[in-house]
Amino acid sequence: MYDEVSATATSMKVFCGRVNPTTGSVDWVEEDENYDYHQEIARSSYADMLHDKDRNKKYYEGICAAVRRVKERGQDAIVLDIGTGTGLLSMMAAAAGADFCYAIEVFKPMADAATRIVQANGFGEKIKVINKHSTEVTVGPDGDMEQRANILVTELFDTELIGEGALPSYEHAQHNLMQEQWEAVPHRATVYALLVESQRLWSWNKLLPLSLDSVDIRPPPEMESCPGAPSVCDVQLSQLRPSEFTKLSDVLCVFRVDFSEQVSSSAVSHPVRFRSEADGAAQVVLSWWDIDMDPEGTIVCSMKPSWAYPTVQPAPWRDHWMQCVYFLPEERQVKQGEELCLIGHQDDYCVWYSLTKPSVEAQTQVPLERPACHCGAHITWNRARFGELNDRHRIERYREAIRKVLTPSSVCLCVSDGSLLPFLAHSVGATQIYTLESSSMSQHLMEKLFQTNQLGDKIRVLQKPPDGVTAADLQDGKISALIGEPFFTTSLLPWHNLYFWYARTALSSKLDTHCAVLPLNASLYVLAVEFKDLWRIRSPCGTCEGFDVSIMDEMIKNSLNFRESQEAEPHPLWEYPCRALSDPTKVMTFDFRELVPTEEMSAEGSLNLVRSGECHGVVLWMEYQLAEDISVSTGLLRVSKENGDCHWYPNRKQGVYFFSSLLDPEPARTHISISISYSLTFTPKTGDICMRFTPLS
């Protein structure tokens, strides 16, 4: 929520200097010395993993089978559990008959929790928790492990499978901590890929050309040829409608990792030949993985999205493991029946893809270098921002509003990060246009974009804070039109973009008496919802597969009491289905035509629940009034009248305030007479919105 810039410690407290995303100031905040630990726990997916019944069931079945195979060979079952977390998998092994378990956990608060959980469940004599990285563990009479293990149990995987360093950890453990013959749970992993054309997904990766009557916006050549960011997009692909992509291949098996054999973390390429199933533009690779818990492949835990099953059925819901979206280095036109080669490149931490014609070279080629952005755009803009910049309907709304406030004589200043509004200002006739950028990289990126479109001498980029803008910067003129989306790269929660209001206040002496401000205002809306699945990430852990892990509830509750986690948290709700239980309600309006007030703003009231369901929390978002008759929403777009299903703007995150026993209010199993009371306070000095929502019967 804040960008930490420095910290100094004094005994039991830490003073952290953080850039406030709303006010833009550096705030020095006194935190508990365990602040980072609490934040790590609060933001983790422990509750989500513990509630993943499919995952837990498959792991338990696989562990039981592995212990049985070792016992059938007449050996003691000695288990090594790397990344034990709560100790759940070690307890499963002990319950399955393992003779001893070594549970490795590098994160000390979790290692301490695992020790308490193991003891609380009566496994203290069969499980030893070791608070080290697995590469630091020693074996021998005086070592951490008295003997090498013969069953390797791990859950080191992320959405990309290997992104958390699974391969180096396996490689080291198999060399140094395992016997010559070992069983592994999981036994193997298989990575799958599907080549598709999807304008929706491709718009997350490239700035697409845009025609605006007299103005065409073209991306710089280096942006078009840039391979993009090295990081994968993790997405709930079950929420991507099949109509939003065209399959150009069948589901391809790209590579397998057998964990019962020696694993290598060396870079390697995996070419897969196939014939294109349709004409189209090859743009995107959708990917997921399965893990087989046993050698026979009868116990399978799959990450494939719901539409990838043979028949329509709900996929097990997970947020700790999702699916991957990879962008090819460049778009390539393919024909139905054309023979192609998709190459999955893999090093010790990353996977990426390229597409080529089949050849002997393609099958034996050395892995390409990991893709890295060289244009600056993929470092400055995330995937949602690319999507917003390519949202033509939204751009037209802004252009329509800008037409109402700009004239050829306007002195126009845009305050937003990496915005196309200066182009829109030029397209409606403004000739003196400035744009304020928050970073040198963003400044360079926008200058290159303006130059590519022959506007380098017509739009001036200023890289400085609002209170640093001088009369000389504006050629001794006064700003007659202040415009913004608003969007800022440091913003996480919807109200963080109120930075535009603080910028407007800092610039007040540079504004003309009759300066037009766009947007006119921002309104904060709230909606009570029932989530289909997202509630699980904040649901109490209690017992899991018969093991008491309620200590995690205590840890998470303590963590959530910290300032950054006790209120709303950001989520892209297009990925997380929910139903509206109340009507959307406007609770606060921030008037950008006025200065930021010095006094607090408060709002109190109640949300009447008009639909039955279980109320898991409240969603918050901003709606901007661009002109008297033009507005844009960063949250709710519409609610289905039939069932209350919500449709969310996909290119911004919304704020979610969860109800759970950890946060005290009783979950509201609603009736139309039940309501949710709310109390919100906006503090101008900090830019924070403190909130309380309480279900009432």
Side-chain angles (χ1 to χ4, degrees):
M1 188 174 292
Y2 292 85
D3 294 330
E4 187 168 313
V5 293
S6 61
T8 57
T10 60
S11 64
M12 299 299 289
K13 293 292 183 180
V14 177
F15 290 90
C16 299
R18 305 176 188 278
V19 178
N20 187 307
T22 309
T23 67
S25 63
V26 176
D27 299 337
W28 286 92
V29 183
E30 186 180 49
E31 301 288 7
D32 183 275
E33 65 176 350
N34 293 321
Y35 172 80
D36 288 336
Y37 284 168
H38 282 288
Q39 290 306 298
E40 181 71 21
I41 293 168
R43 294 169 178 167
S44 70
S45 296
Y46 289 117
D48 178 30
M49 289 186 287
L50 293 172
H51 284 297
D52 188 344
K53 294 185 180 298
D54 178 73
R55 161 195 178 269
N56 299 336
K57 178 176 181 290
K58 302 292 175 58
Y59 259 103
Y60 190 43
E61 291 174 352
I63 288 170
C64 288
V67 170
R68 185 168 56 250
R69 289 193 298 273
V70 169
K71 294 283 190 179
E72 288 173 351
R73 293 198 292 265
Q75 299 175 322
D76 287 345
I78 309 300
V79 174
L80 174 63
D81 175 9
I82 301 179
T84 195
T86 61
L88 177 63
L89 302 186
S90 287
M91 291 191 295
M92 287 181 176
D99 295 278
F100 201 80
C101 303
Y102 296 101
I104 314 299
E105 177 55 54
V106 68
F107 185 41
K108 189 177 188 307
M110 281 310 305
D112 293 342
T115 300
R116 293 173 60 193
I117 291 170
V118 163
Q119 291 173 347
N121 284 274
F123 294 110
E125 294 184 358
K126 295 189 72 173
I127 300 173
K128 179 182 180 181
V129 179
I130 302 171
N131 178 210
K132 285 186 176 182
H133 193 284
S134 63
T135 57
E136 300 172 344
V137 171
T138 57
V139 181
D142 299 321
D144 301 304
M145 298 171 58
E146 291 185 8
Q147 58 181 312
R148 291 184 176 227
N150 53 17
I151 300 177
L152 179 56
V153 177
T154 63
E155 205 279 60
L156 299 172
F157 314 118
D158 66 351
T159 293
E160 201 173 17
L161 183 69
I162 65 173
E164 292 185 358
L167 295 183
S169 296
Y170 269 109
E171 188 173 31
H172 175 272
Q174 291 167 343
H175 273 301
N176 300 281
L177 306 177
M178 303 304 296
Q179 299 175 18
E180 289 188 8
Q181 181 183 9
W182 68 85
E183 301 288 338
V185 182
H187 183 80
R188 75 175 66 83
T190 306
V191 174
Y192 299 95
L194 176 66
L195 181 67
V196 303
E197 174 184 359
S198 173
Q199 284 301 113
R200 161 84 186 276
L201 299 179
W202 192 240
S203 72
W204 294 353
N205 182 56
K206 300 287 185 182
L207 182 60
L208 305 177
L210 177 66
S211 294
L212 297 169
D213 298 338
S214 59
V215 176
D216 290 336
I217 303 177
R218 294 179 297 106
E222 57 265 42
M223 192 183 295
E224 290 188 291
S225 63
C226 183
S231 58
V232 66
C233 287
D234 52 344
V235 179
Q236 293 283 3
L237 278 182
S238 291
Q239 301 310 312
L240 186 71
R241 297 190 302 271
S243 61
E244 294 180 299
F245 60 90
T246 300
K247 295 181 182 179
L248 301 180
S249 75
D250 196 357
V251 175
L252 307 173
C253 174
V254 182
F255 66 91
R256 288 190 170 93
V257 182
D258 191 333
F259 300 120
S260 65
E261 298 180 358
Q262 182 60 55
V263 167
S264 172
S265 60
S266 300
V268 64
S269 289
H270 308 278
V272 183
R273 292 192 179 197
F274 69 98
R275 290 189 180 275
S276 176
E277 296 201 343
D279 295 347
Q283 300 166 325
V284 178
V285 175
L286 309 181
S287 180
W288 57 88
W289 46 266
D290 292 348
I291 44 178
D292 295 334
M293 296 298 183
D294 61 332
E296 297 77 23
T298 59
I299 309 169
V300 182
C301 189
S302 177
M303 304 309 121
K304 63 185 174 184
S306 58
W307 44 257
Y309 284 82
T311 58
V312 177
Q313 59 181 290
W317 188 83
R318 304 178 173 94
D319 207 45
H320 56 105
W321 294 330
M322 291 187 270
Q323 294 82 37
C324 302
V325 173
Y326 297 95
F327 303 107
L328 293 178
E330 59 184 5
E331 182 180 82
R332 178 182 180 138
Q333 294 296 325
V334 301
K335 295 290 186 182
Q336 183 175 6
E338 181 180 358
E339 191 173 0
L340 298 164
C341 184
L342 182 69
I343 307 176
H345 307 275
Q346 165 237 312
D347 60 16
D348 51 350
Y349 280 88
C350 287
V351 176
W352 63 99
Y353 289 89
S354 62
L355 183 68
T356 186
K357 285 281 190 180
S359 66
V360 174
E361 291 77 19
Q363 297 181 51
T364 59
Q365 79 178 84
V366 175
L368 298 174
E369 288 187 10
R370 186 188 300 180
C373 173
H374 57 68
C375 73
H378 303 90
I379 299 172
T380 307
W381 301 330
N382 61 21
R383 74 187 191 207
R385 184 56 177 162
F386 270 105
E388 189 165 36
L389 292 172
N390 289 316
D391 185 340
R392 297 190 176 220
H393 173 73
R394 199 175 190 83
I395 289 171
E396 284 298 336
R397 299 286 285 173
Y398 277 100
R399 191 180 186 210
E400 184 181 353
I402 284 174
R403 278 198 184 101
K404 296 176 180 290
V405 301
L406 292 187
T407 67
S409 62
S410 295
V411 178
C412 177
L413 175 64
C414 175
V415 181
S416 282
D417 286 347
S419 177
L420 298 183
L421 294 195
F423 284 102
L424 305 188
H426 176 75
S427 74
V428 301
T431 56
Q432 197 170 349
I433 306 169
Y434 304 88
T435 183
L436 209 57
E437 298 295 333
S438 62
S439 69
S440 58
M441 181 169 290
S442 184
Q443 176 192 19
H444 175 75
L445 177 63
M446 295 310 295
E447 285 176 341
K448 192 69 179 176
L449 187 56
F450 296 142
Q451 290 167 6
T452 299
N453 291 278
Q454 289 77 52
L455 295 176
D457 58 343
K458 298 177 181 177
I459 301 175
R460 185 179 175 192
V461 183
L462 306 175
Q463 196 265 301
K464 51 179 57 182
D467 58 5
V469 175
T470 65
D473 292 325
L474 304 173
Q475 298 176 323
D476 295 324
K478 287 278 190 177
I479 301 166
S480 58
L482 182 68
I483 63 175
E485 299 188 49
F487 169 84
F488 303 97
T489 56
T490 55
S491 300
L492 292 177
L493 289 162
W495 47 92
H496 289 168
N497 288 306
L498 289 176
Y499 176 72
F500 177 82
W501 200 13
Y502 288 82
R504 176 258 182 272
T505 301
L507 289 162
S508 58
S509 64
K510 309 296 186 301
L511 304 185
D512 185 83
T513 306
H514 303 291
C515 178
V517 179
L518 184 157
L520 301 173
N521 59 57
S523 293
L524 179 65
Y525 281 78
V526 298
L527 178 73
V529 301
E530 176 185 50
F531 284 109
K532 180 181 178 183
D533 294 299
L534 188 62
W535 60 272
R536 300 174 194 275
I537 69 172
R538 293 292 172 262
S539 181
C541 301
T543 60
C544 179
E545 301 302 315
F547 302 102
D548 181 3
V549 292
S550 58
I551 288 168
M552 286 304 301
D553 293 336
E554 174 189 335
M555 292 183 65
I556 294 172
K557 181 176 181 178
N558 291 337
S559 300
L560 290 173
N561 284 335
F562 275 68
R563 168 180 43 79
E564 290 187 11
S565 298
Q566 66 183 357
E567 304 282 359
E569 52 191 73
H571 292 281
L573 291 187
W574 75 268
E575 295 184 55
Y576 303 104
C578 62
R579 295 173 58 243
L581 300 186
S582 73
D583 291 327
T585 302
K586 183 193 300 186
V587 293
M588 274 187 182
T589 296
F590 309 93
D591 191 343
F592 297 154
R593 291 165 293 188
E594 304 294 334
L595 301 181
V596 174
T598 56
E599 301 297 322
E600 291 182 343
M601 297 171 57
S602 297
E604 294 183 352
S606 62
L607 305 175
N608 293 321
L609 303 183
V610 298
R611 292 183 182 85
S612 62
E614 184 169 348
C615 188
H616 296 122
V618 174
V619 179
L620 305 95
W621 71 95
M622 288 289 197
E623 185 171 303
Y624 294 102
Q625 198 71 36
L626 305 184
E628 294 297 341
D629 58 344
I630 304 172
S631 64
V632 294
S633 174
T634 64
L636 189 67
L637 299 180
R638 65 184 183 279
V639 174
S640 170
K641 292 182 179 179
E642 292 77 17
N643 53 21
D645 286 350
C646 298
H647 300 267
W648 300 97
Y649 183 60
N651 298 318
R652 293 281 182 107
K653 290 183 178 181
Q654 292 74 41
V656 180
Y657 182 105
F658 287 102
F659 298 146
S660 77
S661 60
L662 298 181
L663 296 176
D664 192 35
E666 291 289 333
R669 295 190 176 276
T670 63
H671 181 274
I672 59 171
S673 64
I674 294 179
S675 63
I676 307 292
S677 73
Y678 63 81
S679 174
L680 296 97
T681 302
F682 170 67
T683 305
K685 184 178 179 180
T686 62
D688 292 332
I689 296 181
C690 295
M691 61 193 71
R692 179 174 294 278
F693 296 92
T694 307
L696 301 174
S697 56

